Amino acid sequence: MASASSGTPRQRVTVLGSTGSIGTSTLDVLSRHPDRYEVFALSAHSRVEELAEQCRVWRPRFAVLPTAELGCALVDRLRTLGVSTEVLVGPAALEEVAAHPDVDSVMAAIVGAAGLPPCLAAARAGKRLLLANKEALVVGGELFMRAVREGGAQLLPIDSEHSAIFQCLPEDRGTWAQRIDHIVLTASGGPFRDRDPKTLRDVTPDQACAHPNWVMGRKISVDSATMMNKALEVIEARWLFDLTPRQVKVVIHPQSIIHSMVVCRDASVLAQLGTPDMRVPIAYGLSWPARIESGASQLDFLTLKPLTFEPADAERFPGLQLAWAALEGTPGSTAVLNAANEIAVEAFLDRRLRFDQIHAVNAETLARIAVPADATASVAGLLDLDASARRLAAELVGRHGV
């Protein structure tokens, strides 16, 4: 469809996970540039009413839900609203709208390992892939990056930390290795940065989800509180920027103003700064290599509080070290860690596991799973490994749980 103002074709965008925090922020950015973008497809996990309202506003060609029951509910609601969006259901439908020949860009904001197959489909189809689903790289690793290369996809990181690193590097990826000594991912420290580690056993889900700087979904908020989110980001960064595990470092930066840093071989440090608003990396990913207005407020350096840094407390955040343990273990170990963490966090949110037991489940699952030699060679192998790790983690939740 052409823009009425310029005659330039608008980019067609699929938003996977459109009712989550990243999805709604993406739609907010898109709404500011109706002459540049149109929504091709939307997907949600269970929020039928919210997805129906998005379809009413955006009129996408497709909307995707995981089950026939939810799909029928959406069809009924769209009929009431007078919206002609076609409803698709199931995992294959996610791959279809991610790889559709009429799609230009895909925002991959599905949480968890379920996001890997549609991300791979978009990569193989050569799309501009805006990656907010870090699990695609945590689980898929080399398989995913190979699909990006072979498909000719443009991979744009959306996590604020990885977007910051990307923004500090030149467009010519071939020069990165010559420039980088190491990178530093910043972490806010979450809601328990100053809390006595001995009291963490009493943390409630609502307390863990009360992030001091960012508005996020409940799962990623818990991951931020345990620093497992940062552990997964370490793994993601290793693959995104083709680094050794020990070239990725983490520092606590409570103000969340410096989003990450590149330490160059000549000892120069390049940093990206901005307000803690996910619309900034989303807008950058949509418009790269250009820049468009995001809706975020600008930094006021005259009122900015002092920027501070501190090491991550290993007693308070024991899960962080599992990132390097998994990266240096058998290929596929990172998929095991991710699967265990998804099960443990779900159990915590359901009040079946204490906050301080999340790490125990993750560490024991990682130590006990024997990863098959060919597990990382295919999506099927990775998903089988994921399922095995989930089963063991669920058993451990039953053993450790409250």
Side-chain angles (χ1 to χ4, degrees):
M1 183 181 298
S3 163
S5 60
S6 67
T8 303
R10 295 190 292 175
Q11 286 190 42
R12 296 183 178 94
V13 183
T14 285
V15 184
L16 303 178
S18 65
T19 61
S21 61
I22 296 294
T24 55
S25 292
T26 300
L27 293 176
D28 180 84
V29 174
L30 294 177
S31 72
R32 299 169 187 275
H33 304 278
D35 59 326
R36 297 179 64 118
Y37 306 102
E38 63 178 287
V39 173
F40 178 83
L42 300 171
S43 84
H45 179 65
S46 60
R47 299 173 182 171
V48 171
E49 193 62 33
E50 292 178 37
L51 183 58
E53 177 60 18
Q54 290 177 345
C55 290
R56 184 192 69 79
V57 172
W58 291 96
R59 307 288 168 141
R61 190 185 306 183
F62 298 108
V64 182
L65 283 161
T67 67
E69 181 181 4
L70 290 171
C72 288
L74 180 60
V75 168
D76 292 341
R77 185 69 183 116
L78 293 181
R79 186 180 297 116
T80 300
L81 294 171
V83 176
S84 60
T85 295
E86 182 177 349
V87 177
L88 307 175
V89 298
L94 291 174
E95 297 183 46
E96 178 182 346
V97 298
H100 196 285
D102 290 343
V103 169
D104 301 301
S105 300
V106 177
M107 168 57 76
I110 295 174
V111 176
L116 175 59
C119 283
L120 279 169
R124 289 166 175 159
K127 305 302 181 184
R128 170 173 290 214
L129 180 55
L130 284 62
L131 190 66
N133 172 270
K134 63 177 61 65
E135 290 85 359
L137 277 168
V138 172
V139 176
E142 173 55 31
L143 181 71
F144 180 77
M145 292 305 296
R146 185 165 63 250
V148 170
R149 292 191 299 271
E150 293 176 353
Q154 290 181 333
L155 182 61
L156 284 301
I158 299 303
D159 273 348
S160 60
E161 297 81 0
H162 303 88
S163 176
I165 299 297
F166 189 83
Q167 292 182 55
C168 289
L169 294 171
E171 290 183 26
D172 183 1
R173 187 183 182 99
T175 67
W176 289 1
Q178 303 164 12
R179 296 169 180 262
I180 300 174
D181 182 81
H182 64 276
I183 65 173
V184 180
L185 304 180
T186 57
S188 69
F192 308 133
R193 180 176 62 87
D194 297 321
R195 182 160 171 163
D196 183 348
K198 296 182 178 60
T199 69
L200 293 178
R201 62 176 288 128
D202 302 320
V203 165
T204 68
D206 286 343
Q207 290 172 328
C209 291
H211 197 281
N213 298 341
W214 298 94
V215 177
M216 304 180 291
R218 288 174 70 79
K219 194 269 181 183
I220 193 173
S221 294
V222 174
D223 283 347
S224 181
T226 62
M227 286 276 277
M228 272 304 301
N229 191 46
K230 202 58 52 179
L232 298 179
E233 288 174 7
V234 168
I235 298 167
E236 182 182 8
R238 175 264 178 272
W239 290 109
L240 274 173
F241 305 110
D242 194 22
L243 302 170
T244 66
R246 296 297 161 176
Q247 283 182 288
V248 186
K249 304 182 186 300
V250 173
V251 66
I252 300 291
H253 170 50
Q255 296 80 26
S256 295
I257 297 299
I258 295 177
H259 296 301
S260 280
M261 297 169 275
V262 176
V263 180
C264 301
R265 291 182 179 272
D266 62 2
S268 296
V269 180
L270 308 177
Q272 186 264 337
L273 286 70
T275 52
D277 190 323
M278 286 305 299
R279 290 176 296 178
V280 174
I282 289 168
Y284 184 72
L286 284 166
S287 63
W288 179 87
R291 300 253 182 186
I292 58 173
E293 193 267 329
S294 68
S297 59
Q298 295 186 359
L299 284 179
D300 183 346
F301 288 97
L302 299 182
T303 61
L304 198 62
K305 295 180 180 179
L307 305 183
T308 62
F309 305 89
E310 58 196 59
D313 184 334
E315 183 181 4
R316 185 179 286 103
F317 305 119
L320 180 59
Q321 296 305 315
L322 294 179
W324 291 278
L327 280 170
E328 293 168 352
T330 305
S333 296
T334 56
V336 171
L337 177 60
N338 177 73
N341 186 62
E342 288 189 22
I343 293 297
V345 170
E346 180 183 32
F348 167 69
L349 289 171
D350 291 342
R351 299 179 183 272
R352 294 181 287 112
L353 192 70
R354 292 201 318 265
F355 181 82
D356 63 326
Q357 293 172 325
I358 294 174
H359 172 67
V361 170
N362 292 343
E364 189 169 349
T365 304
L366 186 61
R368 288 180 51 181
I369 285 284
V371 181
D374 61 348
T376 62
S378 66
V379 175
L382 286 168
L383 294 180
D384 284 347
L385 178 61
D386 176 83
S388 297
R390 287 172 188 273
R391 286 193 294 270
L392 176 56
E395 293 175 12
L396 295 174
V397 165
R399 186 180 310 166
H400 290 285
V402 295

